[in-house]
């Protein structure tokens, strides 16, 4: 997957006096918390608690709330259908989703817990498109449409197998829509290990302010998250609201006596960011921002200095033994793909997918075998070359890995995943200058590619630029606290 060029969506600020509030029967909300994804290493700690807290707050604010936890694809579709059936012309419809989100083809998808995602096409098949949901809500006549997504997490779908189109994409929504993501476009945040997310804590704090317009509520939320995270997490907002709306009108009744857990405030950000905390002017004219100048084309892949790669090192992990093979054979996904291959041994797609699953389970030799057969059937499969390059790098077969990455880049120049993989090859083989060149090229295409940032930091330190290397490493750890462990699993420390 690739990071798509973000569309610049202008924030339109509401003006004039407060309009009459919508009645309780005119406010409908669907709140979903998905935490138990089988492909994740462990259940997410935040989504269920956050969904329950958001649902409780919205009920106090007069919303008719439907809450779902750990919903499958079918469960999510049924939940949205129930929401669509409640909407009346002019009503307010709100969706809150906490879990994994994936962008594909410039759209953001909410991922059910039973999604089987191995390629980008699977995202569109199993995921729920935010744009489609907002369009369906609009077609039912909703006057105000609000979407709050806490789904900008590093996840096994985008991260594994060297695919890095991280985070969420800008949304093209109908008029009268307010959308907020917990982090900036195409960026990700890691769970802190807390039972509640920083985003939801700040959101609930601001929602509880009576008579505060919805846009200002979310702007204050963004400022609170930015300050509390020391500008490492900056939520994204898009608005096309044409009328005033307040989550908590003044007459909504008593508010909860206990606020959400406090967050240590960081020093305020520079003046321009702090200015966004001020209320919008009473008379504002929406002026579209001028389009940005076209981005220059990405640079050509760096030429590699010809070197002799050392012979393969011992495997980073023990070879798959008999017990491991038996355990893998019982894996439901592997069992399904193996059944398909028993019916058709020349199913290249099934071979490729099973290779991906083997790689995700650490069975690298089995993965490489499947990639070999997949490439025998489809010699121009760029993704298979890149994945085999990565798997061979992990087990220490560096010469063969380099050939795979070079072939992937020959077939698809500036393929960011292959640049990142080849950087890892060069880093493990001691070719630090080549590694820096590859990581530099990858980061020019995707500046938030954490593995390239961390890898470049290690390469710079080995090349003598200790302070620059430490800066890259610290920045990478801030984006992904688990990145050092990931590289250690690759045999790189």
């Amino acid at each position: 997957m690739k990071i798509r060029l973000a569309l610049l969506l202008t924030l339109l600020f509401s003006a004039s006096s407060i309009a009459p509030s919508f009645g309780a029967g005119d406010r409908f909300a669907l709140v979903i918390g998905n935490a138990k994804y089988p492909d994740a290493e462990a259940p997410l700690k935040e989504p269920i608690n956050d969904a329950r807290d958001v649902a409780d707050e919205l009920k106090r604010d007069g919303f008719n709330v439907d809450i779902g936890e750990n919903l499958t694809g079918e469960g999510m579709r049924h939940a949205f259908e129930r929401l669509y059936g409640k909407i009346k012309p002019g009503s307010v419809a709100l969706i809150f989703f906490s879990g994994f989100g994936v962008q594909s083809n410039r759209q953001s998808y909410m991922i059910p817990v039973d999604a089987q995602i191995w390629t980008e096409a699977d995202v569109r098949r199993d995921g729920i498109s935010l744009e489609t949901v907002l369009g369906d809500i609009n077609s039912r006549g909703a006057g105000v449409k609000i979407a709050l997504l806490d789904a900008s997490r590093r996840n096994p779908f985008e991260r594994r197998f060297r695919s890095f189109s991280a985070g969420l994409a800008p949304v093209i929504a109908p008029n009268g829509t307010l959308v907020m993501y917990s982090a900036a476009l195409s960026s990700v945040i890691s769970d802190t290990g807390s039972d509640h997310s920083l985003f939801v804590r700040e959101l609930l704090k601001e929602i509880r302010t009576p008579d505060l317009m919805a846009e200002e509520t979310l702007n204050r939320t963004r400022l609170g998250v930015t300050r509390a995270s020391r500008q490492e997490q900056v939520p994204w907002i898009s608005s096309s609201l044409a009328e005033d709306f307040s989550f908590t009108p003044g007459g909504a009744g008593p508010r909860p006596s206990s606020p959400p857990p406090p967050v240590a405030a960081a020093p305020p950000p520079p003046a321009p960011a702090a200015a966004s905390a001020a209320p919008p002017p009473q008379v504002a004219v929406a002026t579209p921002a001028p389009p940005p100048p076209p981005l220059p084309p990405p640079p050509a892949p760096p030429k590699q200095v010809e070197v002799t790669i050392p012979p393969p090192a011992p495997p980073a992990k023990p070879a798959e033994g008999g017990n491991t093979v038996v355990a893998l054979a019982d894996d439901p996904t592997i069992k399904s793909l193996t059944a398909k291959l028993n019916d058709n041994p020349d199913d290249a797609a099934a071979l490729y997918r099973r290779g991906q699953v083997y790689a995700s389970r650490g069975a690298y030799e089995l993965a490489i075998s499947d990639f070999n057969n997949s490439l025998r059937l489809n010699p121009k499969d760029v993704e298979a070359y890149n994945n085999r390059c990565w798997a061979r790098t992990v087990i220490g077969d560096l010469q063969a890995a380099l050939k795979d990455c070079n072939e992937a880049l020959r077939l698809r120049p500036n393929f960011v995943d292959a640049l990142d993989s080849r950087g890892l090859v060069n880093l493990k083989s001691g070719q630090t200058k080549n590694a820096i060149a590859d990581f530099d090229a990858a980061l020019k295409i995707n500046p938030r590619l954490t593995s390239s940032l961390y890898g470049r930091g290690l390469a710079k330190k080995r090349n003598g630029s200790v302070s620059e290397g430490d800066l890259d490493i610290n920045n990478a750890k801030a984006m992904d606290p688990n990145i050092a462990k990931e590289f250690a699993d690759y045999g790189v420390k």
Side-chain angles (χ1 to χ4, degrees), residues 313-327:
K317 295 187 177 182
E320 296 82 39
N323 292 336
T324 303
V325 172
V326 171

Side-chain angles (χ1 to χ4, degrees), residues 108-429:
S108 294
Y109 290 82
M110 298 168 281
I111 305 302
V113 295
D114 63 344
Q116 292 290 321
I117 296 176
W118 309 108
T119 68
E120 189 168 1
D122 296 337
V123 175
R124 298 187 289 273
R125 181 198 66 201
D126 287 358
I128 307 295
S129 165
L130 175 61
E131 288 189 7
T132 299
V133 168
L134 291 174
D136 286 341
I137 290 173
N138 186 62
S139 69
R140 267 73 174 180
V144 174
K145 298 159 282 288
I146 300 174
L148 307 171
L149 267 65
D150 191 3
S152 302
R153 295 178 168 90
R154 297 199 71 84
N155 65 65
F157 309 115
E158 290 177 322
R159 181 64 175 156
R160 59 179 89 98
F161 321 124
R162 324 312 299 157
S163 290
F164 297 98
S165 58
L168 302 178
V171 60
I172 301 176
N175 289 336
T177 302
L178 183 58
V179 178
M180 187 174 196
Y181 297 160
S182 58
L185 297 173
S186 298
S187 66
V188 293
I189 53 176
S190 297
D191 280 354
T192 61
S194 167
D195 291 334
H196 296 81
S197 74
L198 171 61
F199 171 70
V200 168
R201 288 201 300 265
E202 293 294 324
L203 175 67
L204 293 178
K205 183 194 306 181
E206 300 303 334
I207 282 180
R208 289 167 177 157
T209 304
D211 291 333
L212 193 63
M213 292 299 97
E215 285 179 338
E216 183 59 15
T217 298
L218 300 194
N219 278 325
R220 290 190 182 189
T221 300
R222 176 172 58 184
L223 184 61
V225 172
T226 302
R227 284 176 168 170
S229 68
R230 299 184 184 274
Q231 303 188 54
E232 291 178 3
Q233 180 180 349
V234 181
W236 178 83
I237 303 172
S238 172
S239 176
S240 62
L241 285 184
E243 55 187 294
D244 290 328
F245 170 75
S246 174
F247 288 100
T248 312
R255 309 307 306 147
S257 58
S258 59
V263 179
S276 67
Q282 289 300 304
V283 179
V285 178
T287 304
L295 294 176
K303 292 184 178 180
Q304 297 287 304
V305 178
E306 293 298 328
V307 294
T308 301
I309 300 287
K317 295 187 177 182
E320 296 82 39
N323 292 336
T324 303
V325 172
V326 171
L328 288 170
D330 289 334
D331 181 285
T333 305
I334 292 176
K335 186 180 294 186
S336 172
L337 291 169
T338 300
K340 286 187 72 174
L341 288 166
N342 287 338
D343 293 336
N344 179 13
D346 290 336
D347 188 336
L351 283 165
Y352 174 73
R353 287 194 183 189
R354 193 174 67 176
Q356 290 179 312
V357 182
Y358 280 143
S360 73
R361 306 292 192 266
Y364 299 110
E365 297 289 355
L366 294 173
I368 291 169
S369 176
D370 275 350
F371 292 142
N372 289 344
N373 288 321
S374 175
L375 286 165
R376 173 179 55 81
L377 297 165
N378 182 8
K380 294 186 178 181
D381 189 338
V382 177
E383 300 284 352
Y385 277 115
N386 176 60
N387 291 343
R388 191 172 68 177
C389 169
W390 170 59
R392 283 174 162 172
T393 303
V394 174
I395 68 171
D397 190 0
L398 302 180
Q399 190 71 55
L402 182 61
K403 290 180 180 179
D404 280 343
C405 278
N406 285 341
E407 181 62 15
L409 287 165
R410 185 189 70 81
L411 292 169
R412 187 188 298 174
N414 297 310
F415 181 21
V416 65
D417 298 347
L419 287 168
D420 181 73
S421 295
R422 193 172 70 177
L424 181 63
V425 176
N426 284 317
L427 184 62
K428 286 196 73 170
S429 62

Side-chain angles (χ1 to χ4, degrees), residues 17-23 27 243-246 249:
S17 60
I18 298 174
S21 65
F22 291 85
R27 296 178 168 210
E243 55 187 294
D244 290 328
F245 170 75
S246 174

